[in-house]
Amino acid sequence: MEAYWTELENIKRSNENRQEGQEAIVVKEPDEGELEEEWLKEAGLSNLFGESIDDPQESILFLSTLTRTQAAAVQKRVETVSQTLRKKNKQHHIRDVRDIFAQQREAQEKSPDDSDLRSVRTNEDKGQGKDDQPSSGAVDSKEQISRVPEDTPASETDINLEVSFAEQAVNQKEFSKERTQKISGNDSLPSFRLPKDKTGTTRIGDLAPQDMKKVCSLSLIELTALYDVLGLEFKQQKAVKIKTRDSGLFGIPLTILLEQDQRKVPGTRIPLIFQKLISRIEEGSLETEGLLRIPGAAMRIKNLCQELEAKFYEGTFNWESVKQHDAASLLKLFLRELPQPLLSMEYLKAFQAVQNLPTRKEQLQALNLLVILLPDANRDTLKALLEFLQRVIDNKEKNKMTAGNVAMVMAPNLFMCHTLGLKSSDQREFEMAVGTANVMHLLIRYQKILWTIPKFIVNQVRKQNIENQKKERKAMKKLLKKMAYDREKHEKQDKTANGADVPQGVIRVQAPHLSKVSMAIQLTEELKASDVLARFLSQESGVAQTLKKGEVFLYEIGGNIGERCLDDNTHMKDLYQLNPNAEWVIKSKPV
């Protein structure tokens, strides 16, 4: 752990030279029930209490798509809010939580399974299949864990994305009630992999905003359910807003920084200064020994900061004068100086608590859900950081920066939020050091998995969309009946373009921006999304031939999803069976 403590000392010295005038973030201690109210609002269930309680139908529809563990997590929070509001003698009506869930069960019983839903439903009783490696929980003493585990060959373990993580945890607890809760930190991390999914893997950025909003709500509920099942308290934090500078580079909120950058480079999603610092470090060779570990001189870093603030956007800053270790120190300073932590004030404690989950698989599952919950700007910047750190580790033979070393050096910069001014005992500080370094290691090691949206959550979104469509069709039919409209004519018009004039087993793919704007394609067991793209691109001519793989994508639009970008290995027949009413469109990804 020597690298961690050395980095902490460097940070303390750096803080002494930090620009004055920065305010400390005040973390507001919530009133009883306030956290649960915020939780329900973020989960999209605010109309289960308060002024909108008289029309809970939307929430009842939402609840009908939840798993047992997810519903239990919601019920627990609703009960707490109800009790709190009663204690405060609130005047507005408070529904009994039992009534809400009774209505939800009634709705499910009245509505028989739709054919579209059969392939969307997840099997909650399916077990995990394999025992995964237990991990270290909370650290009791310095003797228990001496360092962050290194990457050594380990057997591969499939991550089940089809079944709720919390349901898997319930099954795992029942299957192995006496499983070991801790292992030595010297044990290697297991090599997890995602099993192939014929309907395609969905990654963050593949879904339309309206569906991504549902994904975030479901991820919050699922994460809370997982923590509940494993006996951990899931706590969100809320920081009181403080006054920050509205221009500059260091100590500026990410959103403001990006707005500033987008005026220079439209569409940029990662701060320009952050990108430039990474490229400067890489220009000096990733084989440099002690990269990220050896700090630049504190006074020189302070002067460089001031110069960057004055000259960066003018384009007059002399980057040749920045030494590689100085650029690395500036990169870490940038992360520490963010007014809100990169991992967000709201979820920082939840990220830290990941170390207390009993198995590596459950730690990975929790991190996956937490990454989904991060604001876009934080998530994009974190992704760029983790990719850079992996490139540093790839050169460990020369730079001597193994995954464990990089994790220990970077953990204080992401987890020790300087603006909180937290004081803790030596024992607590050691536990924090070991735990956050381990979580940092997990973030780096499993980053390719963390940006995947679990299939069971995508399926729940599909189910919600189907239920919403049923509700809308019901309202439309009622309106049409009043207007004495020809129902048969309406039903014909309601058919999608996919179903019109296209033989069974054939899909019509639209490509409005390519020379071949439309093509009927026969579905086969082997046909993949990449094959469909290849057929269109092979017919491009002239300038259009410069189109390369990765510039345009095949999209699934409509039916039981808003819009979804397909990965190359999606089997089109399997996806068509899951969403027969979708349209298929080739287009570029929005910036």
Side-chain angles (χ1 to χ4, degrees):
M1 294 298 296
E2 186 181 344
Y4 184 98
W5 303 119
T6 303
E7 182 67 16
L8 213 54
E9 285 302 313
N10 292 335
I11 290 172
K12 285 175 183 175
R13 282 196 295 271
S14 171
N15 285 349
E16 290 169 7
N17 292 307
R18 200 170 63 242
Q19 293 175 359
E20 295 180 3
Q22 284 192 314
E23 296 181 53
I25 293 178
V26 180
V27 179
K28 184 183 175 186
E29 287 298 325
D31 296 332
E32 188 182 6
E34 188 179 354
L35 269 179
E36 283 76 8
E37 281 191 38
E38 286 297 321
W39 186 93
L40 286 166
K41 285 176 184 175
E42 196 172 337
L45 294 166
S46 56
N47 58 356
L48 290 182
F49 66 94
E51 295 174 2
S52 55
I53 192 69
D54 293 331
D55 184 25
Q57 289 305 313
E58 189 177 335
S59 291
I60 289 170
L61 184 154
F62 181 92
L63 292 169
S64 72
T65 68
L66 302 185
T67 65
R68 291 168 299 179
T69 50
Q70 289 173 348
V74 173
Q75 188 163 348
K76 183 178 176 182
R77 273 81 200 164
V78 172
E79 284 172 346
T80 303
V81 171
S82 298
Q83 289 167 9
T84 304
L85 293 177
R86 286 191 183 96
K87 282 179 187 176
K88 292 180 178 179
N89 296 315
K90 294 283 186 181
Q91 296 301 308
H92 57 254
H93 177 57
I94 304 163
R95 268 180 96 80
D96 191 303
V97 67
R98 290 167 295 185
D99 295 340
I100 296 168
F101 282 88
Q103 275 192 266
Q104 175 227 321
R105 284 191 292 273
E106 272 179 40
Q108 284 178 313
E109 287 165 9
K110 286 180 182 176
S111 175
D113 286 353
D114 193 289
S115 59
D116 288 348
L117 287 174
R118 287 174 192 161
S119 51
V120 173
R121 292 184 183 278
T122 57
N123 182 2
E124 294 173 359
D125 298 320
K126 193 187 292 183
Q128 279 181 284
K130 289 186 183 179
D131 255 347
D132 72 314
Q133 197 171 347
S135 75
S136 56
V139 183
D140 294 326
S141 69
K142 292 193 179 186
E143 285 73 29
Q144 278 183 290
I145 296 182
S146 58
R147 64 183 177 87
V148 176
E150 295 301 337
D151 291 335
T152 56
S155 59
E156 286 195 334
T157 305
D158 282 351
I159 290 290
N160 187 345
L161 297 181
E162 297 196 18
V163 179
S164 155
F165 297 154
E167 295 291 338
Q168 290 181 44
V170 169
N171 292 331
Q172 179 69 14
K173 282 175 78 174
E174 291 171 357
F175 176 72
S176 178
K177 290 181 180 178
E178 296 181 359
R179 61 181 175 170
T180 306
Q181 295 298 305
K182 295 179 184 179
I183 60 169
S184 166
N186 294 330
D187 285 76
S188 61
L189 291 179
S191 181
F192 290 113
R193 67 180 178 190
L194 297 177
K196 290 181 181 178
D197 178 6
K198 285 195 167 185
T199 60
T201 300
T202 308
R203 302 200 37 99
I204 293 170
D206 286 348
L207 294 178
Q210 67 268 29
D211 282 339
M212 194 59 200
K213 187 177 179 182
K214 295 185 181 87
V215 165
C216 290
S217 295
L218 288 162
S219 295
L220 176 61
I221 295 170
E222 176 64 19
L223 180 66
T224 310
L226 179 63
Y227 275 49
D228 284 353
V229 167
L230 297 173
L232 289 180
E233 190 175 13
F234 174 71
K235 272 196 172 180
Q236 293 165 275
Q237 291 189 126
K238 196 171 182 182
V240 175
K241 288 185 179 179
I242 58 170
K243 188 177 180 181
T244 56
R245 291 187 298 146
D246 55 5
S247 64
L249 297 174
F250 296 87
I252 307 298
L254 269 180
T255 49
I256 292 176
L257 191 55
L258 282 171
E259 284 172 10
Q260 196 171 262
D261 289 349
Q262 284 162 1
R263 288 195 285 270
K264 295 279 184 182
V265 183
T268 190
R269 298 170 65 90
I270 299 156
L272 296 177
I273 182 63
F274 192 76
Q275 294 182 51
K276 184 60 184 174
L277 287 169
I278 286 176
S279 65
R280 183 61 188 159
I281 296 168
E282 294 186 326
E283 283 167 13
S285 174
L286 292 176
E287 295 183 351
T288 304
E289 189 170 337
L291 187 61
L292 295 176
R293 180 173 54 79
I294 298 173
M299 189 52 67
R300 192 165 63 240
I301 298 302
K302 183 179 180 181
N303 292 336
L304 284 171
C305 273
Q306 292 172 348
E307 198 177 343
L308 276 165
E309 292 280 6
K311 298 179 179 179
F312 179 72
Y313 285 113
E314 292 177 2
T316 57
F317 181 77
N318 179 19
W319 282 99
E320 296 299 319
S321 66
V322 181
K323 297 177 181 178
Q324 190 182 32
H325 291 304
D326 291 346
S329 292
L330 286 166
L331 182 76
K332 292 185 287 186
L333 180 67
F334 172 86
L335 293 170
R336 295 196 305 275
E337 292 294 288
L338 289 171
Q340 301 280 350
L342 185 63
L343 299 178
S344 81
M345 183 57 68
E346 192 172 13
Y347 297 113
L348 186 61
K349 275 195 174 179
F351 271 100
Q352 292 168 346
V354 165
Q355 63 180 295
N356 297 321
L357 295 174
T359 69
R360 293 294 186 206
K361 184 178 283 186
E362 285 155 354
Q363 290 177 349
L364 175 57
Q365 290 167 340
L367 285 175
N368 182 196
L369 297 168
L370 281 164
V371 165
I372 290 171
L373 286 169
L374 285 175
D376 291 347
N378 299 58
R379 195 196 302 123
D380 292 337
T381 305
L382 176 64
K383 189 171 191 290
L385 174 66
L386 296 178
E387 288 171 347
F388 163 67
L389 295 179
Q390 185 57 57
R391 293 195 293 274
V392 172
I393 294 163
D394 290 341
N395 289 273
K396 63 186 176 184
E397 297 300 325
K398 295 286 181 68
N399 62 33
K400 310 301 182 188
M401 294 301 291
T402 63
N405 289 339
V406 170
M408 284 188 281
V409 167
M410 293 305 299
N413 295 283
L414 262 72
F415 288 95
M416 305 296 282
C417 183
H418 69 81
T419 46
L420 286 173
L422 296 177
K423 291 183 180 179
S424 57
S425 64
D426 290 344
Q427 174 66 20
R428 175 65 188 136
E429 198 168 88
F430 179 77
E431 291 175 9
M432 176 70 76
V434 173
T436 56
N438 273 318
V439 174
M440 189 75 228
H441 192 188
L442 294 173
L443 284 167
I444 298 168
R445 172 71 188 274
Y446 300 126
Q447 57 183 283
K448 289 184 180 177
I449 296 175
L450 297 178
W451 264 256
T452 305
I453 302 175
K455 184 177 180 179
F456 72 89
I457 288 181
V458 178
N459 284 344
Q460 286 181 293
V461 170
R462 291 183 187 276
K463 189 177 173 186
Q464 283 183 30
N465 289 337
I466 289 171
E467 294 298 328
N468 280 322
Q469 288 164 13
K470 281 183 184 177
K471 184 180 171 186
E472 288 167 8
R473 281 199 297 268
K474 193 173 179 182
M476 180 62 74
K477 281 181 181 178
K478 193 173 180 182
L479 178 64
L480 293 172
K481 203 170 182 180
K482 285 181 183 178
M483 297 169 63
Y485 197 84
D486 184 350
R487 188 179 298 176
E488 190 174 302
K489 184 179 178 183
H490 167 64
E491 287 172 354
K492 284 179 184 176
Q493 289 175 342
D494 198 39
K495 286 183 180 177
T496 64
N498 230 24
D501 303 323
V502 178
Q504 194 170 3
V506 175
I507 59 171
R508 181 162 292 282
V509 180
Q510 310 291 332
H513 303 299
L514 301 182
S515 54
K516 181 81 173 177
V517 296
S518 178
M519 190 187 294
I521 295 180
Q522 177 71 49
L523 292 172
T524 64
E525 295 293 338
E526 297 78 26
L527 183 73
K528 296 181 181 179
S530 58
D531 301 325
V532 175
L533 281 168
R535 290 191 196 183
F536 275 87
L537 295 179
S538 66
Q539 300 195 27
E540 293 300 295
S541 58
V543 179
Q545 278 187 329
T546 59
L547 276 173
K548 297 175 185 174
K549 184 181 174 183
E551 291 182 359
V552 289
F553 302 86
L554 180 59
Y555 278 78
E556 166 197 7
I557 299 176
N560 55 38
I561 202 80
E563 183 173 293
R564 175 173 171 254
C565 181
L566 305 183
D567 75 65
D568 285 347
N569 292 316
T570 304
H571 285 68
M572 296 307 298
K573 188 172 182 180
D574 293 85
L575 183 57
Y576 173 77
Q577 289 168 350
L578 178 67
N579 191 6
N581 294 320
E583 293 182 12
W584 314 97
V585 179
I586 293 174
K587 60 176 186 171
S588 58
K589 227 174 186 178
V591 178

